[in-house]
Amino acid sequence: MIWIELNKTSEKPIYQQIYVRVKEQILLGELAEGERLPSSRVLATTLNVSRSVILEAYDQLIAEGYIKSKQGAGTFVESGISLEGFPSGVLPPVSVKTIDSKNNPKSIKNNLIDFRSGVPCLKKFPRKKWGSIGKDVYENIEASLFGYSSPEGSEQLRNVLSTYLDRTRGINCHPNQIIITSGATQAFTLLAKLLVKSNSEVLIEDPVTKEIPEIFIERGAKITPISVDEFGMQTERLTTKRKACIIFVTPSHQFPLGGILPIQRRIQLINFAKKTNSYIIEDDYDSEFRYSGHPVSSIQGLCPERVIYIGTFSKILSPSLRIGYLILPNSLVEEVKNLKRYTDYHSPTIEQVILARFIKDGHLEKHIVKMRKLYNKKRAFLIKCLKNEFGDLVTILGASTGIHLVGQFNIKFSTKILDEIKLNGVNIFPVENHALVKGHHNNKLIFGYGNLTEEELEQGIKRLRNVIEAEIAKKY
C-alpha cells in the first residue's frame, strides 16, 4: 500500500513529492520487494493530480532502479533495495486509500482546473526561436536602443506590423498611424482619456469583456448597452441623442458569445458612425484562430477615418509580453502620442525589436498555423466531452474562432452553484458576469481551452457534470 500526502503549496513539484515518498517507503521496506504499485491512472485519480505527474514520478523511479514496469502486468518494486536505518520523515504518512476527493474539497481546490478565457497555451510559447532572436538582438543592436525611445514605439516594429496587418487582416494604415502599447488594456485607457468628455456616450456590445465598460465609466462615460445575437452586435438598435459617441465592437469574434459580424451590419455600423460623427473602436483580440476558412477582415479596412483598431499579442504569443497596439485615424495620432508619453513614456523597446524580427522572418505566421491546429484539436475534444457528458442538455455557441467557446445549459447558474463548482475543482465564469443588462445569460458558461490539456478538459467537464447532476437531482 502506498502512503502519500501531498503539499500543493510547497515549492517542491508534485511529481517530486510522489517520487520521494515512494522511494522512502521502498527503502524503509514499507513497500515490499515485488509488490505491485497502483496504476498511474488509479493513483492520479486517488491523489487528484494529472496522470502525467504520476508517470513522471514513476519514470524517475524506474530510471533509478527502484521499480520496474512489466508490459501488460503493471509496475512492481524491484528487489534488494530495503536500506536499514534510512532516515524517513520527509512527508507524514497518509494512506492514499483514505483520501476521498469528493469529501476533500481542499485537496480538489488545490488542483483547480481553470477554464479562464483568453489564455493561450503557455507551454507552447516559441521560446527557443524567441531566445535565439533575443540573443542576437541584445548582442548586435545599436547602443542607442538601450536609451529612451519615442512614445509611438519601435519604428521597426511599426513598419513590419503595417505590412503584416495589410496582408492578414485587411488593415489600411501607414506605420505612422500605429502606436505600440503595453497590452490592449493600456490602449483602451488611452482612448478613454482622449475621447471621453463629460457625460460622453459609449455604445457597447452586451455582453462584453467586463473591464471595457469599467475603463470608460471611470472616465465619466455614459454606457449604452447594445444587445448581441449569434451574429454579434444588433446594429439596427444603434441610436443616440448626442452629437457624437463612441461605439465598441468585437466584430471578428464577439466576446464572449462568439458571433462574427456580417458585412451588412458592418456597413450599417460605419454609416451610423459617419452620420453621428462617432468613432468605432474595433477590438480584434483573437481572430487569427479561425477554424474554417480564413480570418475575417477588419472593419478598419473599410473605413480607416472612422475606425480605431486595437490588437494584441497576448492571445497569439503570451500575455507576459505586454505588447499591444493602436491603429488610429491620422487626426488622433499626435494626441495619443502625447498621452502615451505622459503615461509611461514608451513601452519596452528591446522586446519590440525582437517581435519585429520574429514577424519579419515569418515565425509569427508559422506559430499561428501550428497553434491553430493545436487549438482546433482541443476545441473538438472539448465539444466532444461536453456532448458526451451533457448530450442535448448543452448547446455550443461561438466555437468557430478563438480559444474559448460558450456552453448554454438547461439550468441557471446561481452564485451558490458556481461556488459549488469551484469547490469541486473547476474555475469557470458565466456569461452573466459580462452582461450589462442582467438576467438574460445566466444559463451560459465560458470555456477557455487554450491553456488546458485534453486530460484537464475531460476531467473538468466530468467535475462540472457531477455538480450539475446534483443540482438537478435536488429539484426532483
Side-chain angles (χ1 to χ4, degrees):
M1 180 187 298
I2 294 181
W3 302 75
I4 298 175
E5 183 176 61
L6 300 178
N7 180 1
K8 294 185 179 179
T9 63
S10 170
E11 293 183 0
K12 184 176 288 186
I14 297 298
Y15 90 88
Q16 192 174 6
Q17 294 183 45
I18 296 169
Y19 152 80
V20 167
R21 194 66 191 106
V22 174
K23 181 176 76 171
E24 271 192 351
Q25 292 179 73
I26 292 173
L27 291 170
L28 289 167
E30 294 172 1
L31 288 173
E33 176 179 323
E35 185 171 341
R36 190 176 189 274
L37 301 182
S39 71
S40 59
R41 192 178 301 278
V42 168
L43 190 55
T45 301
T46 307
L47 294 179
N48 198 33
V49 298
S50 167
R51 186 183 175 211
S52 62
V53 171
I54 306 298
L55 290 172
E56 191 172 4
Y58 275 14
D59 286 347
Q60 186 65 29
L61 291 163
I62 290 170
E64 295 183 18
Y66 289 98
I67 62 176
K68 60 185 175 183
S69 178
K70 296 180 181 179
Q71 189 171 3
T75 305
F76 302 85
V77 177
E78 278 280 20
S79 58
I81 300 176
S82 178
L83 179 63
E84 187 175 343
F86 175 74
S88 63
V90 176
L91 292 170
V94 174
S95 170
V96 301
K97 291 186 177 180
T98 67
I99 297 176
D100 182 353
S101 62
K102 290 183 179 179
N103 297 316
N104 191 359
K106 184 177 179 181
S107 172
I108 292 176
K109 191 173 182 180
N110 289 334
N111 189 35
L112 206 62
I113 294 174
D114 193 353
F115 283 100
R116 178 180 176 179
S117 62
V119 183
C121 187
L122 303 179
K123 291 181 180 179
K124 295 296 183 179
F125 180 81
R127 61 178 72 195
K128 186 174 181 181
K129 181 56 65 178
W130 189 270
S132 173
I133 294 173
K135 182 176 183 295
D136 185 62
V137 166
Y138 274 103
E139 290 178 351
N140 296 299
I141 59 170
E142 55 271 28
S144 62
L145 288 177
F146 289 102
Y148 288 105
S149 184
S150 54
E152 65 266 31
S154 159
E155 182 179 6
Q156 186 178 349
L157 178 56
R158 289 183 292 111
N159 285 334
V160 169
L161 267 179
S162 177
T163 302
Y164 168 77
L165 293 170
D166 176 42
R167 185 176 70 254
T168 62
R169 303 294 298 113
I171 296 289
N172 179 4
C173 77
H174 187 277
N176 290 344
Q177 294 174 253
I178 301 176
I179 306 288
I180 304 301
T181 62
S182 298
T185 301
Q186 186 184 56
F188 285 115
T189 302
L190 291 172
L191 291 177
K193 288 180 179 179
L194 175 68
L195 299 177
V196 175
K197 312 302 178 186
S198 178
N199 207 30
S200 291
E201 185 175 23
V202 180
L203 309 181
I204 197 164
E205 296 175 331
D206 183 23
V208 66
T209 305
K210 63 180 182 178
E211 290 80 11
I212 304 301
E214 291 171 358
I215 289 171
F216 289 103
I217 289 170
E218 193 273 335
R219 296 294 302 174
K222 175 185 180 296
I223 302 298
T224 300
I226 308 295
S227 60
V228 306
D229 58 19
E230 67 269 30
F231 300 110
M233 178 182 275
Q234 294 179 286
T235 49
E236 69 276 8
R237 299 192 177 197
L238 289 169
T239 181
T240 181
K241 295 180 181 179
R242 289 167 172 77
K243 188 175 180 181
C245 61
I246 303 162
I247 311 156
F248 174 84
V249 286
T250 51
S252 296
H253 186 220
Q254 200 280 328
F255 184 87
L257 296 182
I260 297 172
L261 201 67
I263 185 61
Q264 294 84 355
R265 294 192 187 185
R266 292 174 185 235
I267 291 172
Q268 192 173 10
L269 180 60
I270 290 168
N271 288 337
F272 179 83
K274 288 180 177 179
K275 181 180 177 181
T276 59
N277 193 32
S278 302
Y279 285 109
I280 299 165
I281 298 177
E282 177 179 11
D283 181 10
D284 196 13
Y285 65 98
D286 71 353
S287 62
E288 290 84 1
F289 303 120
R290 180 163 164 76
Y291 306 113
S292 59
H294 297 287
V296 180
S297 294
S298 68
I299 294 180
Q300 193 276 350
L302 299 173
C303 189
E305 72 277 9
R306 282 286 123 202
V307 179
I308 301 168
Y309 181 94
I310 295 178
T312 177
F313 291 94
S314 293
K315 313 298 186 293
I316 307 174
L317 288 170
S318 163
S320 68
L321 291 179
R322 305 313 305 140
I323 299 180
Y325 54 94
L326 275 165
I327 298 176
L328 298 155
N330 284 310
S331 59
L332 300 179
V333 171
E334 287 304 316
E335 291 179 275
V336 174
K337 281 169 62 174
N338 286 332
L339 284 172
K340 173 68 173 167
R341 178 182 288 110
Y342 297 128
T343 300
D344 62 359
Y345 207 90
H346 63 82
S347 297
T349 302
I350 309 302
E351 285 77 5
Q352 294 180 50
V353 176
I354 296 171
L355 177 58
R357 278 269 305 273
F358 189 79
I359 297 171
K360 186 177 180 181
D361 294 347
H363 302 302
L364 180 65
E365 289 180 82
K366 289 178 183 177
H367 179 71
I368 288 172
V369 169
K370 176 182 175 182
M371 299 311 294
R372 189 182 291 135
K373 291 178 181 177
L374 175 65
Y375 294 145
N376 192 23
K377 184 182 177 186
K378 289 186 179 186
R379 174 188 72 115
F381 185 80
L382 173 58
I383 292 172
K384 178 184 175 183
C385 290
L386 285 166
K387 288 299 182 182
N388 284 347
E389 299 298 333
F390 295 102
D392 294 337
L393 299 180
V394 64
T395 300
I396 308 299
L397 306 175
S400 66
T401 305
I403 51 177
H404 80 270
L405 57 81
V406 169
Q408 179 176 296
F409 294 82
N410 65 333
I411 70 166
K412 293 183 178 180
F413 293 95
S414 64
T415 301
K416 181 180 178 182
I417 296 176
L418 292 168
D419 288 344
E420 186 67 23
I421 290 170
K422 192 163 187 176
L423 194 63
N424 279 267
V426 176
N427 191 38
I428 196 162
F429 297 94
V431 172
E432 187 73 4
N433 278 12
H434 299 276
L436 298 171
V437 178
K438 300 297 183 182
H440 300 291
H441 301 285
N442 48 20
N443 62 338
K444 303 180 186 77
L445 298 177
I446 305 169
F447 294 86
Y449 53 83
N451 197 37
L452 294 175
T453 65
E454 289 189 357
E455 186 175 12
E456 289 169 329
L457 291 171
E458 183 176 30
Q459 183 62 33
I461 300 306
K462 287 182 182 296
R463 294 180 188 180
L464 181 65
R465 182 208 63 198
N466 290 339
V467 175
I468 290 177
E469 279 186 348
E471 290 301 319
I472 293 174
K474 290 177 184 177
K475 297 179 181 180
Y476 299 99

